[in-house]
PDB file of all heavy atoms in Angstrom:
ATOM      1  N   ASP A 304      77.475 110.368  79.698  1.00  0.00           N
ATOM      2  CA  ASP A 304      77.506 111.825  79.456  1.00  0.00           C
ATOM      3  C   ASP A 304      76.240 112.526  79.930  1.00  0.00           C
ATOM      4  O   ASP A 304      76.272 113.703  80.263  1.00  0.00           O
ATOM      5  CB  ASP A 304      77.813 112.149  77.977  1.00  0.00           C
ATOM      6  CG  ASP A 304      76.665 111.865  77.025  1.00  0.00           C
ATOM      7  OD1 ASP A 304      75.887 110.925  77.289  1.00  0.00           O
ATOM      8  OD2 ASP A 304      76.539 112.572  76.004  1.00  0.00           O
ATOM      9  N   VAL A 305      75.105 111.815  79.991  1.00  0.00           N
ATOM     10  CA  VAL A 305      73.864 112.472  80.429  1.00  0.00           C
ATOM     11  C   VAL A 305      73.775 112.601  81.953  1.00  0.00           C
ATOM     12  O   VAL A 305      72.873 113.259  82.466  1.00  0.00           O
ATOM     13  CB  VAL A 305      72.604 111.740  79.901  1.00  0.00           C
ATOM     14  CG1 VAL A 305      72.570 111.765  78.387  1.00  0.00           C
ATOM     15  CG2 VAL A 305      72.530 110.310  80.424  1.00  0.00           C
ATOM     16  N   VAL A 306      74.694 111.983  82.670  1.00  0.00           N
ATOM     17  CA  VAL A 306      74.563 111.934  84.144  1.00  0.00           C
ATOM     18  C   VAL A 306      74.680 113.319  84.781  1.00  0.00           C
ATOM     19  O   VAL A 306      73.797 113.732  85.550  1.00  0.00           O
ATOM     20  CB  VAL A 306      75.570 110.916  84.727  1.00  0.00           C
ATOM     21  CG1 VAL A 306      75.610 111.008  86.247  1.00  0.00           C
ATOM     22  CG2 VAL A 306      75.189 109.507  84.279  1.00  0.00           C
ATOM     23  N   PRO A 307      75.747 114.105  84.481  1.00  0.00           N
ATOM     24  CA  PRO A 307      75.780 115.455  85.059  1.00  0.00           C
ATOM     25  C   PRO A 307      74.599 116.310  84.623  1.00  0.00           C
ATOM     26  O   PRO A 307      74.143 117.183  85.369  1.00  0.00           O
ATOM     27  CB  PRO A 307      77.111 116.040  84.578  1.00  0.00           C
ATOM     28  CG  PRO A 307      77.715 115.066  83.642  1.00  0.00           C
ATOM     29  CD  PRO A 307      76.979 113.788  83.724  1.00  0.00           C
ATOM     30  N   GLU A 308      74.098 116.046  83.422  1.00  0.00           N
ATOM     31  CA  GLU A 308      72.957 116.825  82.917  1.00  0.00           C
ATOM     32  C   GLU A 308      71.709 116.572  83.765  1.00  0.00           C
ATOM     33  O   GLU A 308      70.909 117.473  84.010  1.00  0.00           O
ATOM     34  CB  GLU A 308      72.670 116.452  81.451  1.00  0.00           C
ATOM     35  CG  GLU A 308      73.883 116.463  80.537  1.00  0.00           C
ATOM     36  CD  GLU A 308      74.497 117.846  80.355  1.00  0.00           C
ATOM     37  OE1 GLU A 308      73.736 118.831  80.306  1.00  0.00           O
ATOM     38  OE2 GLU A 308      75.742 117.917  80.267  1.00  0.00           O
ATOM     39  N   ASN A 309      71.534 115.332  84.210  1.00  0.00           N
ATOM     40  CA  ASN A 309      70.390 115.014  85.069  1.00  0.00           C
ATOM     41  C   ASN A 309      70.468 115.801  86.375  1.00  0.00           C
ATOM     42  O   ASN A 309      69.459 116.297  86.878  1.00  0.00           O
ATOM     43  CB  ASN A 309      70.340 113.515  85.367  1.00  0.00           C
ATOM     44  CG  ASN A 309      69.562 112.737  84.321  1.00  0.00           C
ATOM     45  OD1 ASN A 309      68.356 112.558  84.453  1.00  0.00           O
ATOM     46  ND2 ASN A 309      70.227 112.285  83.269  1.00  0.00           N
ATOM     47  N   VAL A 310      71.670 115.910  86.925  1.00  0.00           N
ATOM     48  CA  VAL A 310      71.845 116.650  88.189  1.00  0.00           C
ATOM     49  C   VAL A 310      71.500 118.125  87.975  1.00  0.00           C
ATOM     50  O   VAL A 310      70.788 118.748  88.778  1.00  0.00           O
ATOM     51  CB  VAL A 310      73.286 116.478  88.702  1.00  0.00           C
ATOM     52  CG1 VAL A 310      73.519 117.354  89.927  1.00  0.00           C
ATOM     53  CG2 VAL A 310      73.571 115.016  89.020  1.00  0.00           C
ATOM     54  N   ASP A 311      71.990 118.697  86.872  1.00  0.00           N
ATOM     55  CA  ASP A 311      71.699 120.104  86.595  1.00  0.00           C
ATOM     56  C   ASP A 311      70.213 120.332  86.322  1.00  0.00           C
ATOM     57  O   ASP A 311      69.668 121.383  86.677  1.00  0.00           O
ATOM     58  CB  ASP A 311      72.535 120.588  85.403  1.00  0.00           C
ATOM     59  CG  ASP A 311      74.023 120.614  85.712  1.00  0.00           C
ATOM     60  OD1 ASP A 311      74.375 120.960  86.853  1.00  0.00           O
ATOM     61  OD2 ASP A 311      74.812 120.263  84.822  1.00  0.00           O
ATOM     62  N   ALA A 312      69.571 119.362  85.687  1.00  0.00           N
ATOM     63  CA  ALA A 312      68.133 119.497  85.406  1.00  0.00           C
ATOM     64  C   ALA A 312      67.346 119.606  86.712  1.00  0.00           C
ATOM     65  O   ALA A 312      66.366 120.362  86.799  1.00  0.00           O
ATOM     66  CB  ALA A 312      67.646 118.306  84.577  1.00  0.00           C
ATOM     67  N   ILE A 313      67.774 118.873  87.726  1.00  0.00           N
ATOM     68  CA  ILE A 313      67.096 118.950  89.034  1.00  0.00           C
ATOM     69  C   ILE A 313      67.186 120.377  89.579  1.00  0.00           C
ATOM     70  O   ILE A 313      66.200 120.963  90.024  1.00  0.00           O
ATOM     71  CB  ILE A 313      67.730 117.940  90.012  1.00  0.00           C
ATOM     72  CG1 ILE A 313      67.443 116.515  89.569  1.00  0.00           C
ATOM     73  CG2 ILE A 313      67.240 118.187  91.443  1.00  0.00           C
ATOM     74  CD1 ILE A 313      68.238 115.443  90.321  1.00  0.00           C
ATOM     75  N   ARG A 314      68.406 120.962  89.504  1.00  0.00           N
ATOM     76  CA  ARG A 314      68.568 122.323  90.051  1.00  0.00           C
ATOM     77  C   ARG A 314      67.848 123.365  89.204  1.00  0.00           C
ATOM     78  O   ARG A 314      67.329 124.351  89.723  1.00  0.00           O
ATOM     79  CB  ARG A 314      70.055 122.683  90.145  1.00  0.00           C
ATOM     80  CG  ARG A 314      70.787 121.931  91.214  1.00  0.00           C
ATOM     81  CD  ARG A 314      72.057 122.666  91.641  1.00  0.00           C
ATOM     82  NE  ARG A 314      72.880 121.791  92.442  1.00  0.00           N
ATOM     83  CZ  ARG A 314      73.840 120.990  91.948  1.00  0.00           C
ATOM     84  NH1 ARG A 314      74.120 120.996  90.661  1.00  0.00           N
ATOM     85  NH2 ARG A 314      74.518 120.211  92.756  1.00  0.00           N
ATOM     86  N   ALA A 315      67.828 123.156  87.877  1.00  0.00           N
ATOM     87  CA  ALA A 315      67.161 124.144  87.013  1.00  0.00           C
ATOM     88  C   ALA A 315      65.686 124.260  87.371  1.00  0.00           C
ATOM     89  O   ALA A 315      65.106 125.341  87.309  1.00  0.00           O
ATOM     90  CB  ALA A 315      67.337 123.747  85.549  1.00  0.00           C
ATOM     91  N   MET A 316      65.074 123.139  87.766  1.00  0.00           N
ATOM     92  CA  MET A 316      63.641 123.162  88.082  1.00  0.00           C
ATOM     93  C   MET A 316      63.355 123.633  89.493  1.00  0.00           C
ATOM     94  O   MET A 316      62.264 124.121  89.769  1.00  0.00           O
ATOM     95  CB  MET A 316      63.048 121.755  87.907  1.00  0.00           C
ATOM     96  CG  MET A 316      62.831 121.352  86.466  1.00  0.00           C
ATOM     97  SD  MET A 316      61.817 119.876  86.352  1.00  0.00           S
ATOM     98  CE  MET A 316      62.891 118.662  87.057  1.00  0.00           C
ATOM     99  N   THR A 317      64.291 123.442  90.414  1.00  0.00           N
ATOM    100  CA  THR A 317      63.937 123.609  91.829  1.00  0.00           C
ATOM    101  C   THR A 317      64.726 124.693  92.565  1.00  0.00           C
ATOM    102  O   THR A 317      64.464 124.933  93.744  1.00  0.00           O
ATOM    103  CB  THR A 317      64.156 122.280  92.595  1.00  0.00           C
ATOM    104  OG1 THR A 317      65.530 121.903  92.471  1.00  0.00           O
ATOM    105  CG2 THR A 317      63.264 121.181  92.061  1.00  0.00           C
ATOM    106  N   THR A 318      65.705 125.329  91.899  1.00  0.00           N
ATOM    107  CA  THR A 318      66.491 126.373  92.574  1.00  0.00           C
ATOM    108  C   THR A 318      66.591 127.589  91.654  1.00  0.00           C
ATOM    109  O   THR A 318      66.160 127.534  90.498  1.00  0.00           O
ATOM    110  CB  THR A 318      67.932 125.899  92.888  1.00  0.00           C
ATOM    111  OG1 THR A 318      68.699 125.891  91.673  1.00  0.00           O
ATOM    112  CG2 THR A 318      67.946 124.516  93.512  1.00  0.00           C
ATOM    113  N   ASP A 319      67.217 128.651  92.174  1.00  0.00           N
ATOM    114  CA  ASP A 319      67.461 129.805  91.301  1.00  0.00           C
ATOM    115  C   ASP A 319      68.929 129.881  90.885  1.00  0.00           C
ATOM    116  O   ASP A 319      69.409 130.923  90.439  1.00  0.00           O
ATOM    117  CB  ASP A 319      67.004 131.103  91.964  1.00  0.00           C
ATOM    118  CG  ASP A 319      67.686 131.337  93.306  1.00  0.00           C
ATOM    119  OD1 ASP A 319      68.603 130.549  93.659  1.00  0.00           O
ATOM    120  OD2 ASP A 319      67.314 132.302  93.998  1.00  0.00           O
ATOM    121  N   MET A 320      69.659 128.776  91.015  1.00  0.00           N
ATOM    122  CA  MET A 320      71.059 128.766  90.591  1.00  0.00           C
ATOM    123  C   MET A 320      71.163 128.965  89.085  1.00  0.00           C
ATOM    124  O   MET A 320      70.302 128.517  88.328  1.00  0.00           O
ATOM    125  CB  MET A 320      71.728 127.431  90.966  1.00  0.00           C
ATOM    126  CG  MET A 320      71.977 127.284  92.454  1.00  0.00           C
ATOM    127  SD  MET A 320      72.652 125.659  92.858  1.00  0.00           S
ATOM    128  CE  MET A 320      74.364 125.923  92.455  1.00  0.00           C
ATOM    129  N   THR A 321      72.260 129.636  88.661  1.00  0.00           N
ATOM    130  CA  THR A 321      72.512 129.796  87.231  1.00  0.00           C
ATOM    131  C   THR A 321      73.083 128.494  86.660  1.00  0.00           C
ATOM    132  O   THR A 321      73.517 127.599  87.418  1.00  0.00           O
ATOM    133  CB  THR A 321      73.526 130.912  86.965  1.00  0.00           C
ATOM    134  OG1 THR A 321      74.782 130.511  87.537  1.00  0.00           O
ATOM    135  CG2 THR A 321      73.069 132.237  87.562  1.00  0.00           C
ATOM    136  N   ALA A 322      73.129 128.436  85.339  1.00  0.00           N
ATOM    137  CA  ALA A 322      73.730 127.268  84.685  1.00  0.00           C
ATOM    138  C   ALA A 322      75.166 127.076  85.142  1.00  0.00           C
ATOM    139  O   ALA A 322      75.585 125.965  85.494  1.00  0.00           O
ATOM    140  CB  ALA A 322      73.674 127.429  83.168  1.00  0.00           C
ATOM    141  N   ALA A 323      75.921 128.170  85.164  1.00  0.00           N
ATOM    142  CA  ALA A 323      77.345 128.068  85.528  1.00  0.00           C
ATOM    143  C   ALA A 323      77.505 127.592  86.968  1.00  0.00           C
ATOM    144  O   ALA A 323      78.357 126.751  87.261  1.00  0.00           O
ATOM    145  CB  ALA A 323      78.031 129.416  85.330  1.00  0.00           C
ATOM    146  N   GLU A 324      76.669 128.134  87.866  1.00  0.00           N
ATOM    147  CA  GLU A 324      76.768 127.724  89.278  1.00  0.00           C
ATOM    148  C   GLU A 324      76.437 126.242  89.439  1.00  0.00           C
ATOM    149  O   GLU A 324      77.128 125.494  90.142  1.00  0.00           O
ATOM    150  CB  GLU A 324      75.812 128.559  90.136  1.00  0.00           C
ATOM    151  CG  GLU A 324      76.261 129.994  90.329  1.00  0.00           C
ATOM    152  CD  GLU A 324      75.161 130.885  90.909  1.00  0.00           C
ATOM    153  OE1 GLU A 324      73.977 130.470  90.921  1.00  0.00           O
ATOM    154  OE2 GLU A 324      75.489 131.992  91.326  1.00  0.00           O
ATOM    155  N   SER A 325      75.365 125.819  88.774  1.00  0.00           N
ATOM    156  CA  SER A 325      74.961 124.423  88.918  1.00  0.00           C
ATOM    157  C   SER A 325      75.995 123.484  88.304  1.00  0.00           C
ATOM    158  O   SER A 325      76.383 122.478  88.907  1.00  0.00           O
ATOM    159  CB  SER A 325      73.593 124.190  88.267  1.00  0.00           C
ATOM    160  OG  SER A 325      73.254 122.820  88.357  1.00  0.00           O
ATOM    161  N   MET A 326      76.457 123.829  87.098  1.00  0.00           N
ATOM    162  CA  MET A 326      77.421 122.949  86.428  1.00  0.00           C
ATOM    163  C   MET A 326      78.716 122.850  87.227  1.00  0.00           C
ATOM    164  O   MET A 326      79.311 121.777  87.340  1.00  0.00           O
ATOM    165  CB  MET A 326      77.690 123.446  85.003  1.00  0.00           C
ATOM    166  CG  MET A 326      76.484 123.277  84.086  1.00  0.00           C
ATOM    167  SD  MET A 326      76.682 124.121  82.493  1.00  0.00           S
ATOM    168  CE  MET A 326      77.845 123.060  81.662  1.00  0.00           C
ATOM    169  N   THR A 327      79.151 123.972  87.789  1.00  0.00           N
ATOM    170  CA  THR A 327      80.378 123.942  88.590  1.00  0.00           C
ATOM    171  C   THR A 327      80.200 123.047  89.805  1.00  0.00           C
ATOM    172  O   THR A 327      81.071 122.222  90.127  1.00  0.00           O
ATOM    173  CB  THR A 327      80.766 125.372  89.020  1.00  0.00           C
ATOM    174  OG1 THR A 327      81.021 126.133  87.843  1.00  0.00           O
ATOM    175  CG2 THR A 327      82.005 125.373  89.899  1.00  0.00           C
ATOM    176  N   ARG A 328      79.050 123.184  90.471  1.00  0.00           N
ATOM    177  CA  ARG A 328      78.815 122.359  91.665  1.00  0.00           C
ATOM    178  C   ARG A 328      78.738 120.875  91.278  1.00  0.00           C
ATOM    179  O   ARG A 328      79.337 120.015  91.938  1.00  0.00           O
ATOM    180  CB  ARG A 328      77.522 122.800  92.349  1.00  0.00           C
ATOM    181  CG  ARG A 328      77.287 122.052  93.645  1.00  0.00           C
ATOM    182  CD  ARG A 328      76.139 122.623  94.449  1.00  0.00           C
ATOM    183  NE  ARG A 328      76.444 123.932  95.003  1.00  0.00           N
ATOM    184  CZ  ARG A 328      75.661 124.591  95.863  1.00  0.00           C
ATOM    185  NH1 ARG A 328      74.525 124.040  96.252  1.00  0.00           N
ATOM    186  NH2 ARG A 328      75.993 125.772  96.328  1.00  0.00           N
ATOM    187  N   THR A 329      78.030 120.582  90.231  1.00  0.00           N
ATOM    188  CA  THR A 329      77.912 119.192  89.774  1.00  0.00           C
ATOM    189  C   THR A 329      79.283 118.614  89.456  1.00  0.00           C
ATOM    190  O   THR A 329      79.637 117.507  89.890  1.00  0.00           O
ATOM    191  CB  THR A 329      77.034 119.117  88.504  1.00  0.00           C
ATOM    192  OG1 THR A 329      75.751 119.667  88.793  1.00  0.00           O
ATOM    193  CG2 THR A 329      76.879 117.691  88.010  1.00  0.00           C
ATOM    194  N   ASP A 330      80.051 119.380  88.694  1.00  0.00           N
ATOM    195  CA  ASP A 330      81.330 118.869  88.194  1.00  0.00           C
ATOM    196  C   ASP A 330      82.340 118.694  89.325  1.00  0.00           C
ATOM    197  O   ASP A 330      83.117 117.736  89.336  1.00  0.00           O
ATOM    198  CB  ASP A 330      81.873 119.810  87.110  1.00  0.00           C
ATOM    199  CG  ASP A 330      81.014 119.792  85.855  1.00  0.00           C
ATOM    200  OD1 ASP A 330      80.117 118.922  85.762  1.00  0.00           O
ATOM    201  OD2 ASP A 330      81.214 120.649  84.974  1.00  0.00           O
ATOM    202  N   GLN A 331      82.320 119.617  90.286  1.00  0.00           N
ATOM    203  CA  GLN A 331      83.252 119.470  91.407  1.00  0.00           C
ATOM    204  C   GLN A 331      82.889 118.252  92.250  1.00  0.00           C
ATOM    205  O   GLN A 331      83.768 117.523  92.713  1.00  0.00           O
ATOM    206  CB  GLN A 331      83.263 120.749  92.247  1.00  0.00           C
ATOM    207  CG  GLN A 331      84.026 121.864  91.543  1.00  0.00           C
ATOM    208  CD  GLN A 331      84.057 123.168  92.317  1.00  0.00           C
ATOM    209  OE1 GLN A 331      83.238 123.394  93.199  1.00  0.00           O
ATOM    210  NE2 GLN A 331      84.977 124.043  91.961  1.00  0.00           N
ATOM    211  N   ALA A 332      81.595 118.022  92.434  1.00  0.00           N
ATOM    212  CA  ALA A 332      81.175 116.882  93.260  1.00  0.00           C
ATOM    213  C   ALA A 332      81.518 115.550  92.582  1.00  0.00           C
ATOM    214  O   ALA A 332      81.872 114.572  93.249  1.00  0.00           O
ATOM    215  CB  ALA A 332      79.683 116.970  93.541  1.00  0.00           C
ATOM    216  N   LEU A 333      81.429 115.525  91.244  1.00  0.00           N
ATOM    217  CA  LEU A 333      81.689 114.273  90.520  1.00  0.00           C
ATOM    218  C   LEU A 333      83.158 114.107  90.133  1.00  0.00           C
ATOM    219  O   LEU A 333      83.639 112.980  89.984  1.00  0.00           O
ATOM    220  CB  LEU A 333      80.853 114.220  89.238  1.00  0.00           C
ATOM    221  CG  LEU A 333      79.348 114.020  89.406  1.00  0.00           C
ATOM    222  CD1 LEU A 333      78.663 114.028  88.034  1.00  0.00           C
ATOM    223  CD2 LEU A 333      79.057 112.717  90.114  1.00  0.00           C
ATOM    224  N   GLY A 334      83.857 115.229  89.931  1.00  0.00           N
ATOM    225  CA  GLY A 334      85.219 115.151  89.407  1.00  0.00           C
ATOM    226  C   GLY A 334      85.241 115.223  87.892  1.00  0.00           C
ATOM    227  O   GLY A 334      86.123 114.649  87.245  1.00  0.00           O
ATOM    228  N   VAL A 335      84.294 115.948  87.306  1.00  0.00           N
ATOM    229  CA  VAL A 335      84.260 116.109  85.851  1.00  0.00           C
ATOM    230  C   VAL A 335      85.358 117.068  85.429  1.00  0.00           C
ATOM    231  O   VAL A 335      85.599 118.071  86.096  1.00  0.00           O
ATOM    232  CB  VAL A 335      82.888 116.669  85.395  1.00  0.00           C
ATOM    233  CG1 VAL A 335      82.908 116.993  83.899  1.00  0.00           C
ATOM    234  CG2 VAL A 335      81.780 115.685  85.722  1.00  0.00           C
ATOM    235  N   GLY A 336      86.001 116.777  84.315  1.00  0.00           N
ATOM    236  CA  GLY A 336      87.067 117.636  83.803  1.00  0.00           C
ATOM    237  C   GLY A 336      88.326 116.819  83.634  1.00  0.00           C
ATOM    238  O   GLY A 336      88.901 116.367  84.619  1.00  0.00           O
ATOM    239  N   LEU A 337      88.755 116.613  82.393  1.00  0.00           N
ATOM    240  CA  LEU A 337      89.947 115.816  82.123  1.00  0.00           C
ATOM    241  C   LEU A 337      91.027 116.698  81.524  1.00  0.00           C
ATOM    242  O   LEU A 337      90.754 117.552  80.700  1.00  0.00           O
ATOM    243  CB  LEU A 337      89.633 114.693  81.132  1.00  0.00           C
ATOM    244  CG  LEU A 337      88.832 113.516  81.678  1.00  0.00           C
ATOM    245  CD1 LEU A 337      88.356 112.639  80.528  1.00  0.00           C
ATOM    246  CD2 LEU A 337      89.670 112.711  82.650  1.00  0.00           C
ATOM    247  N   ALA A 338      92.243 116.487  81.952  1.00  0.00           N
ATOM    248  CA  ALA A 338      93.382 117.163  81.336  1.00  0.00           C
ATOM    249  C   ALA A 338      94.528 116.176  81.370  1.00  0.00           C
ATOM    250  O   ALA A 338      94.574 115.297  82.228  1.00  0.00           O
ATOM    251  CB  ALA A 338      93.740 118.420  82.094  1.00  0.00           C
ATOM    252  N   THR A 339      95.467 116.299  80.449  1.00  0.00           N
ATOM    253  CA  THR A 339      96.538 115.315  80.410  1.00  0.00           C
ATOM    254  C   THR A 339      97.895 115.933  80.712  1.00  0.00           C
ATOM    255  O   THR A 339      98.900 115.317  80.503  1.00  0.00           O
ATOM    256  CB  THR A 339      96.586 114.609  79.043  1.00  0.00           C
ATOM    257  OG1 THR A 339      96.652 115.611  78.053  1.00  0.00           O
ATOM    258  CG2 THR A 339      95.383 113.728  78.854  1.00  0.00           C
ATOM    259  N   ARG A 340      97.901 117.185  81.220  1.00  0.00           N
ATOM    260  CA  ARG A 340      99.142 117.794  81.718  1.00  0.00           C
ATOM    261  C   ARG A 340      98.903 118.128  83.180  1.00  0.00           C
ATOM    262  O   ARG A 340      97.988 118.876  83.509  1.00  0.00           O
ATOM    263  CB  ARG A 340      99.467 119.073  80.958  1.00  0.00           C
ATOM    264  CG  ARG A 340      99.953 118.859  79.541  1.00  0.00           C
ATOM    265  CD  ARG A 340     100.100 120.218  78.873  1.00  0.00           C
ATOM    266  NE  ARG A 340     101.033 121.058  79.620  1.00  0.00           N
ATOM    267  CZ  ARG A 340     102.317 121.225  79.293  1.00  0.00           C
ATOM    268  NH1 ARG A 340     102.794 120.616  78.251  1.00  0.00           N
ATOM    269  NH2 ARG A 340     103.096 122.006  80.000  1.00  0.00           N
TER     270      ARG A 340
END
Side-chain angles (χ1 to χ4, degrees):
D304 73 328
V305 298
V306 171
E308 311 295 324
N309 272 270
V310 174
D311 294 323
I313 293 169
R314 289 202 193 91
M316 284 193 293
T317 59
T318 75
D319 57 6
M320 288 176 81
T321 65
E324 288 167 346
S325 177
M326 291 170 74
T327 298
R328 184 171 291 187
T329 302
D330 293 350
Q331 285 179 340
L333 289 179
V335 173
L337 286 168
T339 53
R340 287 174 58 99

